[in-house]
């Protein structure tokens, strides 16, 4: 009698274990029940709750007060829908301080509820929109932040208003007026008009975009964007992120009243785009596209002031540990004492054991004259004074390494030169008026 044929591949592919079938059936029932429960909830909200949402104004006030830990009053409530999400329109929303005094008021607020409210047991919003608010933000002499008199950090262990805002998905503020008063800096109030702000929150990541009109003597327009990482506004030293600022026409010196620059900048006006990386309240990298006139800048406290008639191009600065980097792209400048540098790409990186310098085009005589204003390590400065380089370099690279006493124990140089002049020193012979190209190191 012939043996039974083995299962065909087709039969094996479509066979399902009995245990999986037993698990799939209750899972399907569970998903179906969840779906119908959600549909039922939507229908109840749409036809039973939202048409009569004004009757729940008191419940809404109590829920918001419990969430914000501050008294909240709402004059009127309207219900609507945005897709499948309930939307509340709040009129004359008022947040009072702990003493019950009016602190923060909004004429018109739109709040689109997120379904995650059901899981977090607190109001979670898919969108919070505010039209034309007037906000007073203040930092007192002790460094504490207040919004309309409400402390951002009250010392309470419970999450407050600012923390609650950081947990909402999307915030949008349009046509606001914001006044910033910094008592810690003893600065006069700064008022920004026509402020439009959009914030997207996702866990510890917060991205925002802000446009505003500062007073006319400060700038034509302000465009500020950020990508920040942090959870607690009361602990700014734990935050890190990136900021972008665009000022098409501005007076940089006047902004020093409210902002700390990484360098001393008493004078300078023109256009600026700035990218700033920071961590622990300190800048770690700065990139700036500039087109400035009449600039005075001091790059380090011990250096003399650098006076520039004009400055254009890209400037980059980075610092990590004992490593520093200064770089330019298409940078052109003219100093008050006659140094003029045509557009060039220049990069200088150095640390305690060496560094690298590269340039597409450079006049060494101009660099030597500027070196007194640059934050160079003292051994590098001594070597520049020792060899007193002159002439023009093209597509050159110079790397070096050693110790504090002999920073050029190892080096390598490549590039083309014209009219090169070096004073003799050590193993390097002096030259004058030399043109050509070079590739060499400490061996020869």
């Amino acid at each position: 009698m012939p043996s039974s044929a083995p299962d065909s591949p087709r039969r094996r592919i479509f066979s399902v274990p009995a245990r999986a079938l037993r698990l799939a059936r209750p899972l399907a029932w569970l998903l179906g029940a969840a779906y119908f429960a959600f549909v039922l909830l939507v229908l109840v909200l749409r036809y039973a709750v939202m048409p009569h949402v004004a009757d729940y104004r008191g419940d809404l006030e109590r829920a918001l007060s419990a969430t914000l830990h501050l008294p909240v009053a709402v004059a009127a409530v309207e219900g609507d829908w945005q897709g499948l999400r309930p939307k509340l329109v709040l009129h004359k929303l008022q947040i009072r301080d702990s003493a019950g005094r009016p602190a923060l008021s909004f004429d018109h607020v739109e709040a689109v509820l997120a379904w995650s409210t059901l899981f977090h047991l607190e109001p979670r919003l898919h969108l919070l929109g505010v039209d034309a608010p007037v906000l007073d933000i203040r930092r007192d002499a002790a460094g504490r932040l207040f919004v309309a008199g409400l402390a951002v950090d009250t010392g309470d262990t419970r999450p407050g208003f600012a923390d609650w805002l950081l947990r909402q998905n999307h915030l949008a503020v349009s046509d606001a007026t914001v006044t910033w008063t910094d008592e810690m800096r003893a600065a006069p109030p700064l008022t920004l008009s026509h402020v439009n702000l959009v914030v997207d929150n996702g866990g510890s990541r917060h991205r925002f975009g802000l446009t505003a009109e500062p007073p006319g003597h400060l700038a034509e327009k302000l465009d500020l964007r950020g990508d920040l990482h942090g959870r607690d506004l009361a602990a700014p030293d734990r935050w890190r992120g990136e900021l972008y600022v665009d000022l098409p026409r501005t007076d940089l010196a006047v902004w020093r009243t409210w902002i700390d620059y990484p360098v001393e900048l008493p004078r300078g006006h023109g256009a600026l785009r700035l990218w700033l990386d920071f961590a622990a309240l300190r800048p770690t990298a700065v990139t700036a596209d500039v087109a400035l006139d009449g600039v005075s800048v001091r790059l380090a406290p011990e250096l003399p002031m650098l006076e520039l008639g004009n400055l254009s191009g890209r400037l980059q600065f980075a610092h990590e540990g004992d490593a520093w980097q200064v770089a330019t792209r298409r940078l052109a400048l003219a100093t008050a004492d006659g140094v003029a540098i045509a557009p060039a790409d220049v990069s200088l990186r150095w640390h305690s054991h060496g560094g690298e310098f590269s340039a597409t085009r450079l006049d060494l005589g101009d660099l030597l004259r500027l070196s007194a204003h640059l934050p160079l390590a003292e051994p590098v400065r001594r070597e520049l004074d020792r060899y007193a380089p002159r002439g023009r370099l093209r597509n050159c690279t110079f790397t070096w390494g050693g110790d504090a006493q002999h920073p050029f124990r190892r080096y390598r140089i490549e590039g083309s030169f014209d009219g090169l002049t070096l004073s003799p020193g050590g193993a390097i012979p002096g030259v004058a008026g030399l043109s050509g190209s070079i590739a060499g190191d400490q061996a020869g």
Side-chain angles (χ1 to χ4, degrees):
M1 185 174 180
S3 61
S4 61
D7 290 343
S8 67
R10 180 179 179 87
R11 182 185 298 273
R12 288 197 301 269
I13 290 175
F14 289 99
S15 63
V16 179
R19 185 177 181 182
L21 286 174
R22 288 195 299 272
L23 291 175
R25 189 172 291 108
L27 180 60
W29 276 102
L30 180 62
L31 292 176
Y35 171 76
F36 284 107
F38 176 75
V39 171
L40 179 62
L41 177 61
V42 171
L43 293 175
V44 170
L45 287 174
R46 180 177 290 273
Y47 297 106
V49 177
M50 298 302 286
H52 308 283
V53 70
D55 299 335
Y56 301 97
R57 182 173 58 86
D59 297 326
L60 178 63
E61 289 176 336
R62 287 187 289 272
L64 290 174
S65 299
T67 299
L68 304 182
H69 307 297
L70 291 169
V72 175
V74 180
V77 184
E78 296 178 10
D80 201 352
W81 287 83
Q82 187 181 83
L84 288 176
R85 296 186 179 94
K87 182 173 77 171
L88 299 177
V89 180
L90 312 180
H91 298 281
K92 303 295 183 181
L93 171 65
Q94 188 177 84
I95 302 175
R96 300 188 175 102
D97 62 17
S98 56
R101 295 167 298 193
L104 194 56
S105 299
F106 304 105
D107 289 337
H108 182 83
V109 176
E110 291 188 3
V112 179
L113 292 175
W115 290 111
S116 58
T117 298
L118 301 175
F119 305 104
H120 295 287
L121 300 180
E122 71 169 12
R124 289 293 179 95
L125 303 180
H126 175 72
L127 169 65
L128 177 62
V130 183
D131 292 332
V134 178
L135 300 177
D136 290 317
I137 304 175
R138 178 174 62 90
R139 181 170 67 168
D140 68 9
R144 295 173 298 181
L145 286 176
F146 296 84
V147 178
L150 301 176
V152 172
D153 177 19
T154 62
D156 198 333
T157 57
R158 299 172 302 178
F161 180 46
D163 294 321
W164 179 79
L165 284 178
L166 290 180
R167 293 194 296 272
Q168 309 315 306
N169 294 340
H170 187 78
L171 310 177
V173 179
S174 60
D175 199 25
T177 300
V178 178
T179 299
W180 165 248
T181 303
D182 195 342
E183 297 175 358
M184 191 174 183
R185 298 176 67 94
L190 171 64
T191 299
L192 303 177
S193 58
H194 301 295
V195 177
N196 295 289
L197 171 67
V198 174
V199 181
D200 289 313
N201 296 312
S204 63
R205 186 181 185 185
H206 314 280
R207 292 175 292 175
F208 73 89
L210 180 148
T211 60
E213 294 183 9
H217 67 284
L218 291 180
E220 182 178 282
K221 185 180 180 181
L222 170 65
D223 185 354
L224 174 63
R225 306 173 200 176
D227 188 353
L228 312 179
H229 297 265
R231 292 187 179 275
D232 187 359
L233 287 175
D237 55 323
R238 298 179 184 177
W239 285 62
R240 60 181 176 85
E242 304 171 359
L243 295 174
Y244 165 79
V245 181
D246 184 12
L247 295 168
R249 182 186 61 81
T250 186
D251 187 337
L252 295 179
V254 182
W255 286 100
R256 292 180 305 139
T257 307
W258 300 277
I259 300 173
D260 287 327
Y261 291 149
V263 296
E264 184 180 346
L265 187 68
R267 193 167 62 96
H269 55 86
L272 170 70
R273 288 179 180 174
L274 181 71
W275 293 262
L276 171 67
D277 295 354
F278 73 93
L281 298 180
R282 298 179 64 88
T284 57
V286 180
T287 300
D289 288 341
V290 298
L292 303 174
D293 297 313
V295 178
S296 297
V297 61
R298 193 192 309 272
L299 300 179
E302 69 278 6
L303 298 176
M305 190 71 70
L306 177 59
E307 303 288 347
L308 299 172
N310 57 72
L311 175 68
S312 63
R314 171 166 289 189
L315 293 164
Q316 295 176 294
F317 167 83
H319 175 217
E320 183 176 359
D322 69 342
W324 298 76
Q325 177 177 352
V326 177
T328 70
R329 185 174 181 183
R330 300 292 297 168
L331 182 73
L333 62 85
T335 68
D337 57 359
V339 176
I341 296 180
D345 297 348
V346 179
S347 175
L348 174 62
R349 296 192 295 268
W350 73 95
H351 48 79
S352 58
H353 301 296
E356 178 180 346
F357 172 82
S358 64
T360 57
R361 172 172 48 183
L362 192 66
D363 189 306
L364 293 177
D366 290 339
L367 176 64
L368 188 62
R369 294 171 65 181
L370 287 174
S371 63
H373 304 276
L374 301 179
L376 303 177
E378 192 57 36
V380 176
R381 195 179 302 279
R382 287 199 304 266
E383 296 298 321
L384 284 175
D385 294 338
R386 178 183 184 184
Y387 293 107
R390 301 288 195 280
R392 291 165 295 281
L393 301 180
R394 297 186 304 276
N395 301 320
C396 65
T397 302
F398 177 56
T399 59
W400 70 92
D403 53 38
Q405 298 301 320
H406 303 91
F408 297 102
R409 186 182 299 276
R410 302 179 308 278
Y411 69 88
R412 181 169 182 80
I413 185 170
E414 296 181 10
S416 302
F417 50 89
D418 180 32
L420 180 63
T421 298
L422 292 174
S423 299
I428 301 179
V431 297
L434 192 63
S435 298
S437 60
I438 186 172
D441 54 24
Q442 70 279 353

